Amino acid sequence: MDKNARIFVAGHRGMVGSALVRRLTEAGYQNIVTRTKAHLDLTDQGGVNLFFEEENIDVVFLAAARVGGILANSTFPASFLYENLAIETNVIQAACKWNVSKLVFFGSSCIYPKNCPQPIREEYLLTSPLEPTNEAYAIAKIAGLKMCEAYNKQYGTRFVSVMPTNLYGPNDNYDLKSSHVLPALIRKAHEAKQRGDATLPVWGSGTPRREFLHVDDLAGAATYLMENDVSEGVFNVGVGHDLTIRDLAEIVCRVVGFEGKLVFDPSKPDGTPRKLLDVSKLGDMGWKASIELEDGIRATYADFLDKYASMQQTAVAA
Ligand code: GFB
């Protein structure tokens, strides 16, 4: 990838987009193009088309998406389906029309069937039904991946899809109603420690298994694919091992310094029992994740502490 290429990072304020901007800046890329939602609403087809017409973009990292944890996904399925489909169709179509030379589309491991053989290989896509709690989001992400494949076939574009496992890291969403498990547990453990609580509530049974990838590793993998001129395909991105939600909660409590007891809440959904990715496709190409979970959680807790005061001010103002 040319250091002077005009690289559009869609979603640069989100956890994935901000990690990409950090990674690309560190690597010396000179022309990173970003737009806030106020300046470019990616669900607006006309606006997106005009942006690509005017900006002469060479490479796109399509990291803009409506995302959320298990509760947000099951509460707002229409929004997850509509917003993600709109962003994908607008950006992918305009990227093709305005001759973008490369694009990376970011999906999610929830695109794979609920009861997949483990670890999950890329070719298990669409072999049986999806997990109901995030079916809408998964369908939208499958559509994005299929658009990349279809555009490559019909128009000769070079659009690649990456499917990361559960992500975490700086700039995560710490709102307890809409967040994923890891930022939620960090916040809950921190507040429980501050209040001197004896217990920490954890949703579900604690038995589901999840694999956690630091977002800086994802940014590294996506950049690696672009720098190695990979022009098509779907690539799982993960660390290659998982743990139970109970084990995760114990690590978070250790990092935060909360010494109380975990209490599981069976009224909340468990979601899919397990979604461990087979990461050998990317591994065989020479890339692997390098950030250990406990180190990554420590760094993320520091990020949370940085933002916690302003989060509380926003909550008071609202
Ligand atoms: O991270 P999470 O919301 O999403 O939940 P998924 C993972 C597991 O952690 C579930 C449990 O079994 C939750 O019940 N959990 C325990 C908690 N305590 C909490 C808590 O306080 N907050 C949350 N959020 N969970 C999402 C999908 O699935 O994964 C998305 O909904 C996306 O579509 C994302 O694919 C990566 O891993 O179940």
Side-chain angles (χ1 to χ4, degrees):
M1 199 162 47
D2 184 343
K3 295 280 176 197
N4 290 311
R6 288 181 60 72
I7 304 173
F8 177 41
V9 178
H12 72 290
R13 284 196 164 161
M15 180 171 67
V16 175
S18 58
L20 283 163
V21 171
R22 281 196 302 278
R23 174 73 181 73
L24 293 166
T25 305
E26 277 163 21
Y29 291 96
Q30 304 290 324
N31 288 308
I32 302 168
V33 180
T34 59
R35 287 290 184 279
T36 61
K37 196 170 181 183
H39 289 101
L40 177 62
D41 176 358
L42 295 173
T43 64
D44 168 19
Q45 188 181 27
V48 171
N49 206 38
L50 189 62
F51 166 81
F52 277 93
E53 182 179 358
E54 289 176 352
E55 289 297 329
N56 212 8
I57 299 295
D58 299 306
V59 180
V60 174
F61 288 90
L62 180 40
R66 167 82 182 245
V67 298
I70 192 164
L71 197 62
N73 264 270
S74 39
T75 314
F76 306 111
S79 308
F80 278 79
L81 194 49
Y82 166 68
E83 288 176 36
N84 288 309
L85 282 175
I87 292 168
E88 291 160 13
T89 53
N90 293 343
V91 174
I92 292 170
Q93 164 66 16
C96 174
K97 182 171 177 190
W98 299 104
N99 301 317
V100 162
S101 61
K102 297 174 183 187
L103 178 146
V104 183
F105 170 66
F106 290 84
S108 161
S109 60
C110 70
I111 61 160
Y112 293 111
K114 173 173 181 152
N115 293 314
C116 241
Q118 308 281 323
I120 304 170
R121 297 179 64 84
E122 287 84 351
E123 58 264 32
Y124 298 163
L125 182 67
L126 295 175
T127 51
S128 61
L130 297 162
E131 154 62 32
T133 54
N134 54 37
E135 189 185 54
Y137 178 74
I139 296 270
K141 289 294 179 183
I142 292 169
L145 171 169
K146 288 291 174 192
M147 278 188 83
C148 291
E149 289 179 352
Y151 276 66
N152 290 352
K153 186 169 173 199
Q154 187 174 337
Y155 298 113
T157 49
R158 297 158 59 84
F159 297 169
V160 171
S161 298
V162 294
M163 296 300 135
T165 188
N166 286 42
L167 297 167
Y168 72 101
N171 292 327
D172 208 339
N173 167 20
Y174 297 102
D175 171 67
L176 294 180
K177 288 203 191 84
S178 56
S179 63
H180 290 99
V181 60
L182 213 159
L185 289 176
I186 287 179
R187 180 173 191 157
K188 286 194 212 173
H190 177 76
E191 292 181 342
K193 183 178 86 168
Q194 278 190 323
R195 287 190 301 259
D197 291 355
T199 58
L200 179 77
V202 181
W203 295 358
S205 63
T207 58
R209 299 184 72 87
R210 294 289 184 274
E211 177 185 7
F212 293 93
L213 177 75
H214 192 283
V215 70
D216 287 349
D217 272 335
L218 175 63
T223 311
Y224 185 86
L225 287 170
M226 289 297 90
E227 289 178 336
N228 284 281
D229 223 14
V230 174
S231 59
E232 62 178 346
V234 176
F235 298 87
N236 287 344
V237 192
V239 294
H241 50 85
D242 59 3
L243 76 175
T244 63
I245 296 300
R246 174 190 286 275
D247 289 343
L248 175 76
E250 283 170 359
I251 298 175
V252 170
C253 289
R254 186 160 69 233
V255 167
V256 171
F258 173 73
E259 291 177 350
K261 202 165 152 287
L262 303 178
V263 175
F264 293 91
D265 174 1
S267 73
K268 293 288 196 304
D270 267 347
T272 200
R274 192 177 191 199
K275 45 179 171 179
L276 175 66
L277 291 179
D278 183 319
V279 289
S280 53
K281 188 173 174 187
L282 200 49
D284 291 347
M285 293 170 58
W287 184 89
K288 75 179 189 27
S290 64
I291 302 174
E292 290 299 327
L293 182 59
E294 191 154 341
D295 295 340
I297 293 177
R298 262 179 225 294
T300 306
Y301 183 43
D303 171 71
F304 166 81
L305 290 176
D306 255 6
K307 301 194 168 109
Y308 190 55
S310 63
M311 273 185 247
Q312 285 175 312
Q313 275 159 17
T314 317
V316 171

